[in-house]
Amino acid sequence: MSNKKPVEGEKRAFLTGNETVAWAALAGGADIMYGYPITPQNQVMHTWSRIIPPYNRKFLQTEDEISAGFANCAGALAGKKSFTATAGPGNALMQEPQSMAEAMRIPAVFIIQQRGGPSSGTVIYSQQELTLTTYGGNGEGWRIVYSVCNHQEIYDYTIKAFNTAWTYRFPTYVMGDGYQAELREALTIYDPEERGIKMVEPQPMVGMPGKPGVDRPPVHLVNIYSLEEELYDVCIKYQMEFDRISGEITESEGKNTENPDVLVIGHGVVFRSIHEAVKEMMKDGLNVGYFRPVTVRPMDVKALRNAVKNAKKVLVAESSLGQLERQIKAYCYGLTTPISGYFLPGMGIVATDIEREVKALLKK
Amino acid sequence: MSNKKPVEGEKRAFLTGNETVAWAALAGGADIMYGYPITPQNQVMHTWSRIIPPYNRKFLQTEDEISAGFANCAGALAGKKSFTATAGPGNALMQEPQSMAEAMRIPAVFIIQQRGGPSSGTVIYSQQELTLTTYGGNGEGWRIVYSVCNHQEIYDYTIKAFNTAWTYRFPTYVMGDGYQAELREALTIYDPEERGIKMVEPQPMVGMPGKPGVDRPPVHLVNIYSLEEELYDVCIKYQMEFDRISGEITESEGKNTENPDVLVIGHGVVFRSIHEAVKEMMKDGLNVGYFRPVTVRPMDVKALRNAVKNAKKVLVAESSLGQLERQIKAYCYGLTTPISGYFLPGMGIVATDIEREVKALLKK
Amino acid sequence: MAKIALAGEGGQGVQAIAQIMVNAAFNEGKNACYLPNFGLEQRGGVSLSFVQISDSEIGAPKFKISDIVIALSKRAVVRTKQYVGPDTIFIYDNTRVAESPDYAARKILGIPATDVANKELSSRVFNIIILGTVIKVTGILGVDSVKYALQESLKEKFLKNPDLKDLNFKALESGMSLVEEVL
Amino acid sequence: MAKIALAGEGGQGVQAIAQIMVNAAFNEGKNACYLPNFGLEQRGGVSLSFVQISDSEIGAPKFKISDIVIALSKRAVVRTKQYVGPDTIFIYDNTRVAESPDYAARKILGIPATDVANKELSSRVFNIIILGTVIKVTGILGVDSVKYALQESLKEKFLKNPDLKDLNFKALESGMSLVEEVL
Amino acid sequence: MREWRFVSYETEKSTFSLFPELCKGCGLCIEKCPKEVIVWQVDVLGIYDTPTVKPKDEESCVACATCETYCPDCAILIEKKKKPESKDN
Amino acid sequence: MREWRFVSYETEKSTFSLFPELCKGCGLCIEKCPKEVIVWQVDVLGIYDTPTVKPKDEESCVACATCETYCPDCAILIEKKKKPESKDN
Amino acid sequence: MVQKRPKIPDGWFEDSKPHLFCPGCGYGIIFKAVAQVVDELDIRDRMIYGIDIGCSLLSYNFFNFDTIQTHHGRTTPVIYGVKRAVPEKMCLGIFGDGGGYAIGSQHLVSSALRNEKIFCILANNTVYGMTGGQLAPTTLPDQKTETTPYGKKVEEYGWPMQGPEMIAAIGSKDVYAARGIVSNFRQLKRFVTRGFQNNLDNRGFSFLEVLSCCPTNWRTNAKETWEHLDKVMTKYFKPGEINNPLEQKEGK
Amino acid sequence: MVQKRPKIPDGWFEDSKPHLFCPGCGYGIIFKAVAQVVDELDIRDRMIYGIDIGCSLLSYNFFNFDTIQTHHGRTTPVIYGVKRAVPEKMCLGIFGDGGGYAIGSQHLVSSALRNEKIFCILANNTVYGMTGGQLAPTTLPDQKTETTPYGKKVEEYGWPMQGPEMIAAIGSKDVYAARGIVSNFRQLKRFVTRGFQNNLDNRGFSFLEVLSCCPTNWRTNAKETWEHLDKVMTKYFKPGEINNPLEQKEGK
Ligand SMILES: Cc1ncc(C[n+]2csc(CCOP(=O)(O)OP(=O)(O)O)c2C)c(N)n1
Ligand SMILES: Cc1ncc(C[n+]2csc(CCOP(=O)(O)OP(=O)(O)O)c2C)c(N)n1
Ligand code: SF4
Ligand code: SF4
Ligand code: SF4
Ligand code: SF4
Ligand code: SF4
Ligand code: SF4
Ligand SMILES: [Mg+2]
Ligand SMILES: [Mg+2]
């Protein structure tokens, strides 16, 4: 990595979400991206490969998402800040390596730009990869997933993702969607160190200095175990660590969560509409509020339960068929606030949709 | 398919679970299996390829699970009763075609023998593929999943799976695990038609008789859409159909669910221990009961909620880190019966475990 | 707040004028965003663009009902129907689209942009005429700031051929007056 | 109900005797099941087998504490430690394993099966001697039904060499009496 | 049977027909014609409002149908005219 | 440094050592020896309680170390003896 | 003036025309060859046609025969899946160089190995067309793509993939492996015919790479398109039959 | 009697011996050649070693250098992933014919294509060893496996895969492609050395198939094992160098 700073000071910029990812990765000190084209994340790769030459970062287009995912794990194992980006069927295909990253505690970073599903679906937009991104693979969801809602957040959380990954050594995700990926809007880009954000130094898990067997023992990393008991011990240990660090990681925001007549819950880009709608309705004197998980894995369960408990009614709005609602209900088990869902799988949700639904709930 | 019946009348047999799958598929009229080796399902393939020659069925070992999954879809599209079997990382890898099966309503049958996870985990056993099997891929879980607990059920539900798939045209699963796969135990094998089980005839979705464009229009099957609205319509339609047929499909069993002090919930092989433990405790005069979902997707929500509501306390026992508990809590949102979990990821649970946990709950 | 949906054939420069508009808004310190649509085909689909300009924060990147819809071809007229509401001003190129659509909009305005471009200016600045009409109808952007953004985005072309600048500015103004006539 | 864990080196015939036992139980109309363990290696791992025979329904295929543990090699003794509880009868081959393990079992019995096999019978029937001891200790299966199952499973070998049948039956009986001596 | 709009041009050896609803104005035919017969025209616009093509004159076309063969959209139809002598028959 | 149990056999041209904790009794060495020197033995058992191997006599071995090379488990060590003449020096 | 009909092959599904491909796209020419051969061999009622995600997807309603649109790179397992289930069908898959040589190369390799009785046609346009022009396994040295914006470096990404040569090297003598080019229609049709014939004879796998053009991502006009095909691409990819189990070996 | 030490190469991790492979398994011989060459080239401190799920996994603690156990077929992307991130490392992957020619063949093909500067060694034992002896892409005609219990039919599954030939055909002249056999240790070591050398020179991808033995699944005794290797397998697979970008072409 060269010493030249990609971003000096603070700058307003007008970018697409995909461009924002690439610039944030650059500013966040990413060393290498491995990727395979898929709409709507292509432009992350395009931008990255276009802007890196002066900074001595690397890019490899692999033969498929399986490879991109495994190579991404490899880059991180080798001690480099490594990332990839994918979507939809590519995300499904990449679960195999993501699952290895969970099992081996590999601090690889994944960018997910959700598209319509199932299967090829559309190349446009959805929130139908929530379950897949938070709990995909044959594992237990040892992943940290930031669900962003605007370009500023894309920038901030992409930088943060590298720090989270390398601090806690769980695979870390920034989850956006096709709308955000292709949308052009303004944000402030900056050099994180200048803002006082300490960037965590990556550490190799293989290939450390010294001759193995002479200067140090060789490192032998595995993800398979001979006995049930061995795997069990690993599972319990990692789960406990995941639970322990969750308190440090979870992020959420809420408004008027003290005692709203209706609390609206949503994540990612849908939150923009929720935010707008709730603001408008509050202006109109309606007693409504919102709760938004920023980390969808782990979830800020305490804040969530609090908000749900205080509300008279809850509306979960999402561009999928209840993937968020299912999680909310599981996390809030034991509470009795009625929860209803507004689901537009693969379609955008606008503020007037939210207002209409909330008002219908208020009337009931 | 030759007319020779693989099983005449009823017969006691002493088989492994994997052998049972193969015999059931044969008796159930499966035409072709596509598969890729992975422990613990290998013996399904071994047995199938060994027993089929007299019956003119087919087998293809493919180059990976992706291929096995897509070829499985293809066999069904071509109007053949087609199935595959996989596990663990193979199941993760096979999500891409499973997702296509959901999107195109392909009546393909999948046998899942869960092994330890995440990643390679163990080749032995777990219940850690519940989330993956019920909600894997970038979709909405339009799948029908039977979670079996003994060899008789493996036989019964493998036969049933073909009927379910070809009746409702959703991909259909029989989910077991490594223990059941390798266990040898007794069961009754039979010819389904002789038992009065009407086997549903498969119907091709492509390659029907006649010259396209002359005798009939050509068939053009897709899983991708140009507009969000098109995909939305498909999603809503399929979800409604899935919901509509759920009432016909869901299966569950319960004991002493009227008013138990502790209700134990578990699926698959763990239910064997629950069953034994509850029986013993009831003998001892304890007021305990159980609920067991047979279809883990769709879930018999009505019976489940009823059982949970009536119970004073609920214990969810599973060989995974809360995958079933999460679903139970989501389905039971609004109820207040305390639910606690007993989780042994990748390890077997025995009756004495259940008894101990239940008694601890009773004391609290 | 202005929500503008622009639609046309590939090559008509729809995305370019969306870009100029949001650049102008950005320079003015307004909130602005623009979402191109993307279909499956690389070519041949209707090119759509969703532009929003506002003094306050912007919600969803894609809206369902437009304040203004601009449709530049027959297919574009059909494709944009869903974005038309009772308050929408619907503008179409009446050189290319003979019949006025019977959408239940607030106003439906036919602009002979193609005709004017071909006859009075140059077919190349067809989209700038359209830009002019949008600017006029919305009134949300300053003409100078649009000119500045236009200049920035065509800087290199203008450098090579200084006459182009004039041509484009004329087109812009002509678009503005064309729509004034029918408003 | 009997829960039996058998462990040995590959080639010692552990799985074969598990199979014969459950077959005998099946023929007697009992509930029976047997779960082989499988590790990663094709060879070289300790071969384990979990057998359950019962008059009533059988719960989990794998149990945590055995009624009877049979360990036929040093590694098998170590590997099976976790299945030993205070009520377990632990049987090991004291030809191969010199020291008696100090597990907190109900009984720990050393059987010179290898010695007897090599000296009095044939090393090939080593596992059948073990089968005899298990049958004796559990008492859950009829000797005749075990003999029948044994015969069935070795039918072809017995056909080729009728002396084998005698040898095997002798081994079975010798196993039964060996354990009787130490019980 | 669907009807396609067309324009036909008579040349000595061929009838050159163009189906504007199929022509996308790619120009492949122009470059592939061995006799450089085909030229752009704007009198008839293609499906994407692009210029379409026509033979530049009545003499050059040899009715080889290369253009027809290579048009990816089947927008050209070449009908070979019977040789003059056969006309006399 | 780990110590391995071993048994050594002196032959004219070599010292043939076997490490029973490494020998798995596969027999590959027996079949690969160009001089058919190696035979099974049960006096020393291998790691899986299998028979191990030894040279059949003192004459046949030519100290070529083929057995050592092909033993997948490094269970054989062949030490070539210096030629008798050098012994005299 | 009598009504004239365009020479749309019977094998094309006329209702879906004009088709969805870009102006000047080579796929149209390939599809013309395919439909003509299908008509000549009179096998339309036996056809099962599979397509990738990739520009071939745009042919989901192109033909007058049954079509399955699959996933990116997965056409091959879908069509051999059909063939194994109903061997009387003629199974054709068409996909791009990304689908065939990158994400789906294991399927191609394995179909050649197992000698699946299917016909795969791969459009080599040296880019990922549908996703907007990224690097493909066939991208030429120094070619600029969206993911090699400064030109593809051979040190980084190697030389262009030699597909039919690879297929032929895998081992079976019964595999038909050839490379055509959209600028030579006669040859292309001959290769398509033989590809089908090899399946009709139940002899073996047929693989045809076709040098195709993508004027959209190449940003070429018609003249440049033909030149690039004939002069540049053929420097790296030699048209011809690499393995022909049918007697008649292709001379030119 | 003085303490004698077995001739375990320095490159082996002695604490893990005796290793986990079956008696008579060919992997042990391959690993001996590898370790000897690593020691001779003195590159232990630069080694990153990747293994599949497949019997190669049993070497997860075999060597005295850093090891990553990956997934079935995924060793290749993991080690080229490392190489691209830290090019100063020497990246070696060892896996089976199932991992290399079936589920991971896209990675092998692509590594050859992109000329990744890594070294892949593939153990060809004509079966899936670890999972108990199913069909592999290399399975011989009529060979009985668990999934071809009546013998592999060539009509159904084709001829045995010609791996190094395929790798060589993909296109790059800088790829080292060879086939060794565990019964010819001298040659095997030479090929291993050249494979590493091609990476050390930063020239290109190195691929070495090794005809190996699986007495467990073959159910052969030692004599039959060697015979099967030398007499039967070599009928279908020719040992030698298929492509050698280093000067010294291998004669025999
Ligand atoms: C699993 C998966 N990965 C990636 C994609 C995105 N994708 C769609 S088409 C395409 C590339 C198409 O290129 P090619 O196969 O060469 O076909 P062409 O469009 O050039 O004909 C890609 C990468 C996808 N749809 N699915
Ligand atoms: C994704 C996935 N599919 C399948 C398996 C199961 N599996 C483990 S090893 C193996 C085959 C090993 O054969 P090969 O690659 O030839 O190696 P060998 O054991 O013969 O050396 C298979 C299919 C797996 N672990 N992961
Ligand atoms: S006629 Fe065909 S080849 Fe010629 S320009 Fe039109 S579409 Fe292109
Ligand atoms: S028929 Fe031949 S000569 Fe005539 S225009 Fe077409 S290509 Fe040119
Ligand atoms: S050194 Fe050579 S001759 Fe001596 S035993 Fe070994 S292989 Fe045989
Ligand atoms: S010494 Fe080596 S080769 Fe010989 S039997 Fe023992 S393990 Fe096998
Ligand atoms: S992008 Fe290229 S390959 Fe795809 S349709 Fe357009 S021209 Fe053809
Ligand atoms: S199963 Fe075969 S390949 Fe695997 S360790 Fe045993 S002998 Fe070697
Ligand atoms: Mg392409
Ligand atoms: Mg193998």
Side-chain angles (χ1 to χ4, degrees), chain B residues 207-264:
Chain B
M208 283 76 72
K211 187 166 182 167
V214 178
D215 307 316
R216 61 175 179 87
V219 174
H220 297 138
L221 303 178
V222 300
N223 57 51
I224 194 166
Y225 303 94
S226 213
L227 306 179
E228 292 110 306
E229 290 80 4
E230 293 166 335
L231 175 67
Y232 173 81
D233 289 344
V234 170
C235 282
I236 296 299
K237 184 169 156 221
Y238 289 3
Q239 182 67 44
M240 279 172 58
E241 280 184 42
F242 192 83
D243 291 342
R244 184 177 55 73
I245 65 166
S246 288
E248 298 169 30
I249 287 171
T250 50
E251 294 183 34
S252 66
E253 56 179 311
K255 183 165 215 126
N256 190 24
T257 56
E258 295 311 295
N259 190 20
D261 292 332
V262 174
L263 178 83
V264 190

Side-chain angles (χ1 to χ4, degrees), chain A residues 97-106 136 139-143 171 238, chain B residues 118:
Chain A
Q98 290 177 33
S99 169
M100 185 171 94
E102 293 178 286
M104 300 174 94
R105 301 283 302 267
I106 300 173
E140 304 285 2
W142 299 327
R143 306 161 173 209
Y238 288 4

Side-chain angles (χ1 to χ4, degrees), chain E:
Chain E
M1 196 66 83
R2 190 152 155 200
E3 292 207 352
W4 298 91
R5 266 200 307 123
F6 69 101
V7 277
S8 288
Y9 304 87
E10 299 298 332
T11 82
E12 281 171 12
K13 303 208 181 63
S14 69
T15 306
F16 179 115
S17 303
L18 180 98
F19 299 85
E21 291 159 327
L22 290 171
C23 176
K24 292 179 183 156
C26 69
L28 286 187
C29 51
I30 297 182
E31 300 299 329
K32 196 73 183 177
C33 169
K35 301 293 171 192
E36 303 192 11
V37 175
I38 311 175
V39 292
W40 291 116
Q41 64 156 329
V42 289
D43 301 340
V44 180
L45 292 185
I47 181 76
Y48 296 152
D49 282 354
T50 61
T52 59
V53 296
K54 65 173 184 187
K56 68 178 175 197
D57 57 26
E58 289 184 15
E59 298 82 42
S60 321
C61 176
V62 296
C64 67
T66 302
C67 52
E68 179 191 289
T69 299
Y70 287 93
C71 171
D73 287 84
C74 294
I76 298 177
L77 175 72
I78 300 294
E79 290 162 294
K80 199 171 174 158
K81 289 190 176 151
K82 300 213 178 84
K83 295 216 185 84
E85 49 264 60
S86 50
K87 219 187 249 170
D88 297 336
N89 284 17

